[in-house]
Amino acid sequence: MVLSRRLDWRWIGLKALAHALALLPLALLVRGVLGDSLGADPVAAITHQTGDWALRLVLLGLAMTPLRRLLGQAWPIRFRRLVGLYAFFYASLHLATYVVLDLGQYWSQILDDIVKRPYITVGFAAWLMLVPLALTSTRGWMRRLGRRWGQLHTLVYAVGVLGVPGLLAPDGGSGGEIGTERLRFSFPRQRRDRHLCLADFVAPKESGITDY
């Protein structure tokens, strides 16, 4: 009985450590926002980092089964659900950052981006696949679905494949969208003397002057 309790406490400690490690990227992002250390485009930094961590956790979850076979122990499987839920958490943060912070009030552009930008199309499809996986990750759903639960959760392999193009995409913009980006870009003024901002060096589109 004492041994069983020790094992339980050890498992609780390991699980708490796993939660802490999974939340560490979010904590670093929050610190970067509060300390204004995310660079010239903090929204892009948040978007990229949350997307990168979502994919990393998806791939880590996929690695749990081979790791169990390699080690001959069952403990990696006990972490698989936790890792998968955090992957969905970061993927949702990634999507929320794009919709709320990046697009801002230009929500009508969401469908245009999904159609015109392949990496957004693929990323949105991957997030949609993660939704049923997260909702059915409990033991209750495992019992209800039976064998279909395993079939449904094979979608995670597709998520892993679809997430790679988004991770490798160097930039979300394109040269033909300069006008659109200028409409929704924030031009913060410098805190030092003269208080200039980027808008002071860019000619209005209506002027017809090419300044780049």
Side-chain angles (χ1 to χ4, degrees):
M1 189 69 176
V2 174
L3 179 60
S4 176
R5 287 180 179 176
R6 285 179 181 174
L7 290 175
D8 287 342
W9 279 110
R10 185 174 65 179
W11 168 242
I12 291 172
L14 289 173
K15 204 167 184 180
L17 178 61
H19 279 289
L21 291 174
L23 288 170
L24 181 60
L26 177 62
L28 294 176
L29 271 179
V30 172
R31 187 182 70 173
V33 171
L34 296 178
D36 195 19
S37 60
L38 293 181
D41 192 348
V43 173
I46 295 171
T47 303
H48 292 158
Q49 291 186 41
T50 51
D52 290 351
W53 277 106
L55 180 58
R56 288 167 185 160
L57 289 169
V58 166
L59 297 178
L60 179 61
L62 288 173
M64 290 301 176
T65 298
L67 186 61
R68 180 193 64 178
R69 294 171 181 170
L70 181 65
L71 299 178
Q73 299 183 22
W75 64 262
I77 299 301
R78 301 182 71 179
F79 286 99
R80 187 169 58 185
R81 177 174 176 268
L82 182 149
V83 171
L85 288 176
Y86 273 111
F88 177 69
F89 171 69
Y90 280 104
S92 298
L93 282 181
H94 178 68
L95 178 62
T97 302
Y98 162 68
V99 172
V100 178
L101 299 181
D102 190 9
L103 290 184
Q105 59 182 323
Y106 298 94
W107 286 18
S108 60
Q109 192 175 332
I110 293 177
L111 293 179
D112 289 339
D113 280 356
I114 291 176
V115 172
K116 295 179 181 179
R117 298 183 178 184
Y119 75 97
I120 290 182
T121 306
V122 168
F124 187 67
W127 181 81
L128 287 177
M129 291 181 186
L130 283 174
V131 172
L133 301 186
L135 294 177
T136 60
S137 63
T138 62
R139 293 181 180 178
W141 275 107
M142 290 179 68
R143 289 193 296 268
R144 291 188 192 98
L145 295 176
R147 291 183 178 179
R148 290 177 296 174
W149 186 89
Q151 295 171 351
L152 174 64
H153 280 251
T154 57
L155 282 175
V156 71
Y157 295 101
V159 172
V161 172
L162 290 175
V164 172
L167 181 65
L168 297 179
D171 195 355
S174 64
E177 298 168 351
I178 293 175
T180 302
E181 294 301 321
R182 282 195 54 206
L183 284 174
R184 46 180 223 227
F185 192 87
S186 175
F187 299 105
R189 293 199 169 273
Q190 299 300 311
R191 298 175 182 176
R192 296 183 178 181
D193 191 21
R194 297 189 67 188
H195 308 290
L196 296 175
C197 71
L198 183 60
D200 293 309
F201 302 95
V202 180
K205 184 178 179 182
E206 295 78 9
S207 68
I209 299 174
T210 301
D211 54 4
Y212 59 89

